[in-house]
Structures are given as C-alpha cells and as structure tokens.
C-alpha cells in the first residue's frame, strides 16, 4: 500500500510535467524552417505566410504548391546547419527525418512542430478559429487532431461573425483606456466586458446571462491577470 501511495504523486508529477503551455507566437520577419516538401508541408505554408514568417523549405522533393508559394526553397536533404538563425521549425517529413530534425533542434533549444508525429514534437498547432484580431486555438496535445477539429468547429459555430467581434474589440479598446486611468481591478474589467457582450449577444447564446453575471468565468475559475 505504501508503495502505491508513493507512486501516485510520482504519476501526478509526470502528467503535470507533460501539460502544454498555450502561447501565440509573433513570427513576422523571423526565420522559420519547414522540413518536408510534400502536401503536408504545403498545408503549413499559408498559415506561416499569414503570420509574416520568413520561410525556408528544405526537402529533396518539392510539390508544385510549395513552388508556387514563392517561399525560399533548398531542394536537398535536411542538414543541421539549416537551423542556424531559425526561430521555429516545422517537421513534415518522414518519422526518421523528423527525428533527426527534433534531435538537432533540441540541442539548439528550438521548438519543433512535427506534423502528426507527437514523439518528435515539442510544439503542437491547435484547431484555430479567427474573428479579426480575436483568435481561439484548441489543442489535444497531439493525441487527436480530429477531436481538436471538431471542437474548433463547435466554437466556430458558437461565435458571431467577425464584424460583431470587431465591435466588441472596439468597445474593449475604449474601456481599457478608462480602466487604466481609473485603476479598475481585473476582475471588475471582466464583468464590464461580459456586460458589453451580453447586451449584444445574449439572445443568441443559451446561458449567456449566467456567464455575464460571473464576469465570463465559472465560480471556481480564477481571474486572469495578464490576458490580452
């Protein structure tokens, strides 16, 4: 029994250590390496371009879609020097190549999004919903991209169109100036923002009034202090 009791905290620590830290990256003007030249790699190019990344693709074979994108191409196998001055890496090649990329990147403390290859990944892309400058991302830690996609679709169906969210953001900008000048606490800011949303949206979302009354969070959820 004592051994089991001792093992439980160890397992808990192990699970906690694997928890993901959600973050959004500013890649504009920064070098990003994509290893792989097939359709999977091609599917990552548009999102990186939208973020303004300086993209280099390295692979022995390159599909036409990547060639048409206009990104920098090195048609050859991956070499460790390809990681020089790189901020972020996408590995979309074979598991063997992805593993080599992951090992080299680990030595340089670079994060690698190994597509559909969790053992070689240190970064996972989520299912993304965008409404103007508002972005929601969903991740399953690489376990089930299909589930992440379903969750993304559910959120997408719930949120209103971009024009509505843009109005919320504009009201948030105006409120933020007042909050900063008057020192309104973060918890109260969330309540006021929820009230703005409730006035415009509660008729379309079941349970919205209850959410608005708690400032947009459940009773056990702590308020964020640095949300943007």
């Amino acid at each position: 029994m004592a051994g089991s009791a001792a093992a439980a905290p160890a397992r808990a620590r192990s699970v906690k250590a694997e928890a993901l830290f959600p973050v959004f990256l500013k890649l504009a003007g920064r070098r990003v390496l994509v290893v792989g030249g097939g359709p999977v790699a091609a599917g990552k190019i548009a999102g990186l371009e939208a973020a303004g990344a300086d993209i280099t693709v390295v692979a022995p074979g390159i599909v036409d879609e990547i060639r048409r994108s206009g990104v920098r191409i090195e048609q050859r196998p991956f070499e460790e020097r390809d990681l020089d001055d790189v901020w972020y890496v996408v590995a979309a090649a074979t598991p063997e190549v992805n593993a080599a990329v992951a090992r080299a990147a680990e030595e340089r403390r670079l994060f690698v999004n190994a597509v559909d290859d969790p053992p070689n990944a240190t970064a996972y892309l989520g299912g993304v919903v965008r409404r103007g400058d508002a972005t929601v991302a969903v991740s399953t830690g690489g376990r089930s991209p299909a589930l992440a996609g379903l969750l993304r679709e559910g959120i997408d169906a719930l949120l209103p169109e971009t024009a509505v969210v843009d109005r919320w953001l504009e009201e948030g900008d105006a409120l933020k100036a007042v909050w900063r000048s008057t020192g309104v606490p973060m918890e109260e800011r969330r309540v006021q923002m929820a009230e703005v949303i409730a006035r415009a949206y509660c008729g379309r979302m079941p349970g919205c009034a209850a959410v608005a009354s708690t400032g947009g969070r459940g009773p056990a959820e702590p308020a964020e202090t640095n949300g943007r």
Side-chain angles (χ1 to χ4, degrees):
M1 294 294 291
S4 298
R11 285 196 299 271
R13 286 194 298 271
S14 176
V15 170
K16 187 174 182 180
E18 292 295 325
L20 299 180
F21 181 73
V23 64
F24 292 91
L25 303 178
K26 287 187 175 182
L27 294 178
R30 294 186 166 100
R31 290 195 61 194
V32 172
L33 176 67
V34 177
V35 180
V40 175
K44 300 298 180 182
I45 299 295
L48 292 170
E49 285 185 317
D54 178 10
I55 306 165
T56 298
V57 176
V58 174
I62 306 291
V63 297
D64 289 342
E65 184 179 352
I66 293 178
R67 293 188 184 280
R68 290 194 298 267
S69 70
V71 301
R72 187 183 302 107
I73 293 173
E74 297 284 346
Q75 191 164 351
R76 55 169 174 75
F78 165 76
E79 300 174 5
E80 289 190 17
R81 63 183 175 87
D82 294 325
L83 297 172
D84 291 348
D85 301 321
V86 165
W87 289 72
Y88 182 71
V89 185
V90 176
T94 65
E96 293 76 19
V97 173
N98 288 353
V101 173
R103 286 192 299 270
E106 184 73 15
E107 293 177 358
R108 298 170 183 242
R109 300 182 181 180
L110 289 171
F111 286 99
V112 177
N113 169 229
V115 184
D116 290 335
D117 188 1
N120 290 314
T122 50
Y124 302 93
L125 297 188
V128 176
V129 178
R130 297 185 190 275
R131 295 291 191 274
D133 286 336
T135 303
V136 180
V138 179
S139 173
T140 59
R143 292 180 60 186
S144 179
L147 176 58
L150 287 173
L151 293 173
R152 183 202 67 78
E153 290 175 5
I155 294 170
D156 190 38
L158 178 64
L159 290 175
E161 60 273 13
T162 299
V164 173
V165 178
D166 281 344
R167 287 200 296 273
W168 296 351
L169 290 170
E170 289 168 2
E171 294 209 43
D173 288 339
L175 286 170
K176 185 163 60 176
V178 175
W179 293 334
R180 286 177 172 173
S181 64
T182 58
V184 176
M186 184 58 67
E187 288 192 9
E188 180 60 27
R189 296 182 189 186
R190 292 186 60 167
V191 171
Q192 292 182 19
M193 193 71 245
E195 289 172 350
V196 168
I197 294 173
R199 287 197 300 271
Y201 191 41
C202 263
R204 295 177 52 185
M205 187 170 70
C208 178
V211 172
S213 69
T214 62
R217 63 182 184 277
E221 180 185 346
E224 292 282 352
T225 58
N226 63 345
R228 292 186 178 181

